[in-house]
Amino acid sequence: TTLATVGYGDISPQTKLGRAVVLGMICVGVMVIPARATQMWQQWNARKVAVGKVHPARPFALLSGRITEVRSFSDLFTEFQHQLPTGSDLHLMVLGNRPTRELTAFCELHERNLSFKEGSVLSPSDLKDSRAAKASAALIMANRFNSDVDTEDTDVLFRVWAMKAYTKCVPLTVQVLRASSLAKVAQFLDPYVDTVVSTQLTRHRLAALSCV
C-alpha cells in the first residue's frame, strides 16, 4: 500500500491518530514533493550551458552576440578561420544565448578551435568566468535577424560600455545595424585599436561596387 493507502485496502489506519498521520503523509505527497521537484527542475534548467573549453595558455578571441542561425554562424566561423595567419592557434570563444541542439552539435564538432558559454558581457561574473580580460580581441555583434533594429543597436551599445568598463586592454571590433549608430558607439571606443562597422553601410558599399 502507498502513502495514500491506495492498494488492496488490506492495511489501513484504524485509529484517529493513525488516520491523521496518513492524512499528513497524503498532504506531503500531494503538495510538498511536487513543489520540491519543480524547484529542483528550475535550478537544473537555470544552469548555464558550456560547450568546449579553452586551455588557459592558449590565445583566444571573445565573441559576444545572439546566435540564432547556425548556418550564418558557420559562415562566420569559417571566415574567421580563413583570416587567421598561417600557424595561428587562436581559439574562438562565444559568449551568448543558450545554444540550440544544432549549435551545440556544431560547437562539439569544432571544439578544437571553438567553445561556447551561455552568458552575457553585461554580467561581470560571466566576463570573469570567460577570462575576458585575457582575450586577444573581442567581437561584439548585432543580431541582424532582429526586426527591431534600434533596440538591437542599443543592446550593442550597452555591451560595448560593459566591456570597456570591465577592461580597456582588449581591442574591440563592433558591428551595429544602422549607420546612424556608428557615432554613438564610437564615443566609447579607442580609435587607434578599436573598430566599428555597420551592416547597413556595408550593404550600400557592396551595392555601389556592384554597379562599377
Side-chain angles (χ1 to χ4, degrees), residues 128-155:
K128 181 179 179 181
D129 291 341
S130 60
R131 299 186 297 116
K134 300 294 184 181
S136 301
L139 172 62
I140 298 180
M141 294 186 61
N143 179 15
R144 61 188 180 90
F145 298 102
N146 188 350
S147 58
D148 193 343
V149 177
D150 292 330
T151 299
E152 187 63 28
D153 279 355
T154 300
D155 178 70

Side-chain angles (χ1 to χ4, degrees), residues 27-75:
C27 292
V28 171
V30 172
M31 294 184 296
V32 177
I33 294 178
R36 290 297 297 169
T38 301
Q39 291 176 358
M40 291 176 63
W41 168 252
Q42 290 174 344
Q43 291 176 358
W44 174 265
N45 197 45
R47 295 178 60 189
K48 293 184 177 180
V49 177
V51 184
K53 59 182 180 180
V54 188
H55 190 278
R58 187 176 180 186
F60 70 96
L62 181 67
L63 187 153
S64 167
R66 181 171 180 80
I67 311 300
T68 57
E69 293 288 336
V70 177
R71 181 173 298 179
S72 62
F73 177 71
S74 174
D75 294 339

